[in-house]
Each structure stands twice: as structure tokens, then as C-alpha cells.
Amino acid sequence: MGSDTLHITQTLFKELFDKYFDPLCRYLAYYSANSMIVEEVVQDVFIKLWEERESLRIESIKSYLFTAAHNRMLNHIRNEKRYHTLIELWTMHEKQKGLSGECFDIEEFSDRVQHAIDQLPEKCREIFDLSKKEGLTYRQIAERLDISVKTVETQMGIALRKIREYLSAFYPRNSSILIFIRSLVR
């Protein structure tokens, strides 16, 4: 394929998908026994390949796909660990406070966090997702979206403020929410 840009047509994309989907899933099974997660990660790799097909410069499609799958899986694992760590910290904090018999529903809290994120303005949500779900730095986000780093910082500030405001309506006077929101900034 050389150093030329690989022209990915719909036909070639389908051939690549058919040829590499199962081998990529088997490869990622070493990282996770959850086949749904593995398949989701592989699908994400192919979605990114299709979305960026015009600008990608690929010497070896096989190397590209396996490297992309590996990196995306590691990002997923890192984000899952961060999420579980945050929930554990939050739960410990709630228990230490002794909420006088109140019971806290983690699933409900997670749903509310996701709803708060879903309510963000489109560009703000996109920047937030690139930072938190894909683990990109502000500089990487700025380059990908062709905006300034300052714009990314501003949009992240807006996102965090709106998420905090949304959650504090459900959990007034709950300092655990502040701990959770501050941990999103990391």
C-alpha cells in the first residue's frame, strides 16, 4: 500500500470489516472476557476508520486496525477503572457521612450523570466526550476539532458547571457530588 493515502470505498470498507472483525475480537478477548465490550470497541475502530477515511495515511491496514483496537481497548479499561474508582470513593464518602438511614441508588446516580451529559449543548457534549470517553487532552481535542485550546477549556468549564447544577437539583447539600464533579476534571 505504500505511503499513499489508502482510498477506502464502501466496498473496500466492507471487505476490511469482514476480514478483520473476528480476528480483532479474538485479539481483544485477551483484555476482556466481555464480548459485548470487545465488539463495541472493534465497531468503534471501524467507525473511526470510516469517518476519517479521507485524511488517514495508512501504510498497513492490518497494523492500523490492530493498533487502533489495542489503544481503544486500553482507553476503555482505563475509563472503566476510573469510573469504578469514583463510585467506590463516592460510596465510601456517603457511608462515612452516615446519611441517617438514607439509601443511595448508584444506578440512579449514574443515570442522572449520563442524563446531565446528554443535556449539554452539542459542541460542549462533543468536547466533554472526547475528553472523558476517549481520554484526549485539551490540545488533542483542539487539533481534532480545529479550535483553540482556550475554547476547549471554556467548553469543559461550561460542561462541568451544567453537570454540577443538574445534579445538585437532585442531591442538594451533598458534598459527594462536588467530589464526583472535581474528579471529572482530572
Side-chain angles (χ1 to χ4, degrees), residues 168-183:
S168 37
F170 293 97
Y171 308 101
R173 302 176 316 250
N174 192 330
S175 61
S176 298
I177 300 303
L178 294 176
I179 291 169
F180 177 78
I181 295 298
R182 284 189 191 119
S183 67

Side-chain angles (χ1 to χ4, degrees), residues 11-96:
T11 304
L12 178 57
F13 181 82
K14 182 174 180 350
E15 289 172 10
L16 293 171
F17 186 87
D18 291 343
K19 181 176 181 179
Y20 289 109
F21 186 85
D22 288 337
L24 287 168
C25 287
R26 283 192 301 275
Y27 171 65
L28 294 183
Y30 289 108
Y31 295 94
S32 175
N34 186 330
S35 62
M36 285 178 39
I37 290 172
V38 166
E39 288 178 6
E40 182 179 320
V41 167
V42 173
Q43 287 172 2
D44 287 346
V45 168
F46 279 102
I47 289 169
K48 183 174 175 120
L49 174 66
W50 180 254
E51 290 175 344
E52 297 183 2
R53 68 190 178 280
E54 301 294 327
S55 62
L56 287 174
R57 297 186 65 77
I58 301 172
E59 290 185 35
S60 166
I61 190 68
K62 182 178 180 180
S63 293
Y64 169 83
L65 290 171
F66 277 84
T67 300
H70 171 82
N71 291 339
R72 192 166 288 271
M73 179 56 88
L74 292 181
N75 284 344
H76 175 79
I77 291 168
R78 183 195 66 229
N79 290 340
E80 279 294 307
K81 284 182 181 176
R82 181 183 293 162
Y83 173 79
H84 290 294
T85 300
L86 291 175
I87 294 297
E88 287 173 19
L89 286 171
W90 187 85
T91 303
M92 274 183 10
H93 186 264
E94 287 299 306
K95 286 179 181 176
Q96 288 174 351

Side-chain angles (χ1 to χ4, degrees), residues 102-115:
E102 284 186 49
C103 183
F104 189 79
D105 186 341
I106 296 292
E107 193 172 319
E108 177 183 305
F109 177 72
S110 296
D111 289 344
R112 285 190 173 145
V113 169
Q114 187 57 54
H115 185 74

Side-chain angles (χ1 to χ4, degrees), residues 133-170:
K133 291 183 180 176
E134 292 192 32
L136 299 181
T137 65
Y138 287 4
R139 179 166 304 285
Q140 290 169 325
I141 295 168
E143 289 171 4
R144 182 180 285 187
L145 300 178
D146 197 27
I147 57 177
S148 72
V149 173
K150 187 67 178 164
T151 300
V152 174
E153 291 171 356
T154 301
Q155 289 297 309
M156 284 297 292
I158 291 168
L160 295 172
R161 187 186 82 246
K162 287 183 178 279
I163 293 169
R164 182 176 55 245
E165 288 170 359
Y166 179 84
L167 293 175
S168 37
F170 293 97

